[in-house]
Amino acid sequence: MSELRAPEPGSTSTRLYRNGVVVLEDFPVADTAAHLGEAGSVVWIDLCAPTAEDLASIGAQVGLHQLAVEDALQEPQRPKLDRYAGHLFMSAYSVGLDPTTAALRVRELGVFITHDALITVHKDPGLDMGGVLARWDASPDLAKQGVGFLLYGLLDELVDSHFAAVQGLDESIEGIEDLLFEERRHQIQIVQRRSFELRKDLVALRRV
């Protein structure tokens, strides 16, 4: 499969599965309805910072409810799963630690789930979907399960990001605990500042 490039605002990535096999990538979003009209077809569409017009166009092709479209454009949404006639809308979060500052990074993801389409929407180009694609490609025997399999791979990746963030925060806490026994005032100030930052990160992590 092709390597997923870092998305830019307004960009899209697409995949067409037919009977569980990827047969086309990066097709124009305008062709979505035509592809879905083909037997055994399932599509994935990823939109980075789409406009209202972008989502309206896709919504018209796959039958998305206007309220769900509005939720995908607004921020922030609480983690949730809403049911509409013909599709579901999920709001979820990917989390991670900045490799340079060790600060928590929280990135929102809106997901439309229909019988034959999975549409992911995010405003942050830093949200990397590469891990999700790797999970999908690692289990080609399950891809024939359609949207259910795609959703499973997506949720698996998101949950793993949460556990990795928790482990990273635990390690940071252990690191500042070692400084508690330093008598130098500078070290005490470091502990105070980092403790405050970690408390903020834990609050943000609990919210998502």
Side-chain angles (χ1 to χ4, degrees), residues 136-150:
W136 291 344
D137 293 342
S139 302
D141 56 314
L142 297 178
K144 61 185 178 182
Q145 301 298 327
V147 171
F149 162 68
L150 298 182

Side-chain angles (χ1 to χ4, degrees), residues 49-202:
T51 64
E53 291 74 18
D54 293 334
L55 267 184
S57 174
I58 294 176
Q61 295 187 70
V62 301
L64 302 181
H65 196 284
Q66 181 59 34
L67 290 178
V69 171
E70 291 175 1
D71 277 352
L73 291 171
Q74 296 173 357
E75 59 180 343
Q77 297 290 319
R78 58 183 173 83
K80 63 178 181 178
L81 180 67
D82 290 336
R83 180 171 178 262
Y84 295 91
H87 73 88
L88 303 173
F89 175 74
M90 180 178 71
S91 178
Y93 286 83
S94 171
V95 297
L97 298 182
D98 187 288
T100 303
T101 65
L104 187 70
R105 293 287 180 264
V106 177
R107 297 181 170 98
E108 185 178 3
L109 184 69
V111 186
F112 297 94
I113 307 153
T114 78
H115 174 71
D116 48 13
L118 185 75
I119 302 168
T120 50
V121 181
H122 52 100
K123 307 172 186 69
D124 189 341
L127 198 159
D128 182 13
M129 297 296 290
V132 178
L133 268 66
R135 288 177 188 264
W136 291 344
D137 293 342
S139 302
D141 56 314
L142 297 178
K144 61 185 178 182
Q145 301 298 327
V147 171
F149 162 68
L150 298 182
L151 180 60
Y152 163 77
L154 172 64
L155 290 173
D156 206 29
E157 179 71 12
L158 293 180
V159 170
D160 276 2
S161 80
H162 290 207
F163 280 112
V166 170
Q167 181 178 353
L169 290 175
D170 283 343
E171 293 172 354
S172 294
I173 290 171
E174 291 176 359
I176 65 171
E177 286 175 346
D178 293 339
L179 296 177
L180 288 174
F181 299 97
E182 296 284 348
E183 296 182 357
R184 288 171 293 180
R185 179 168 178 78
H186 174 65
Q187 299 288 16
I188 295 175
Q189 291 175 337
I190 292 175
V191 170
Q192 291 173 334
R193 182 177 65 253
R194 187 65 183 131
S195 295
F196 175 74
E197 293 169 346
L198 284 170
R199 282 196 296 271
K200 290 177 62 179
D201 287 344
L202 287 171

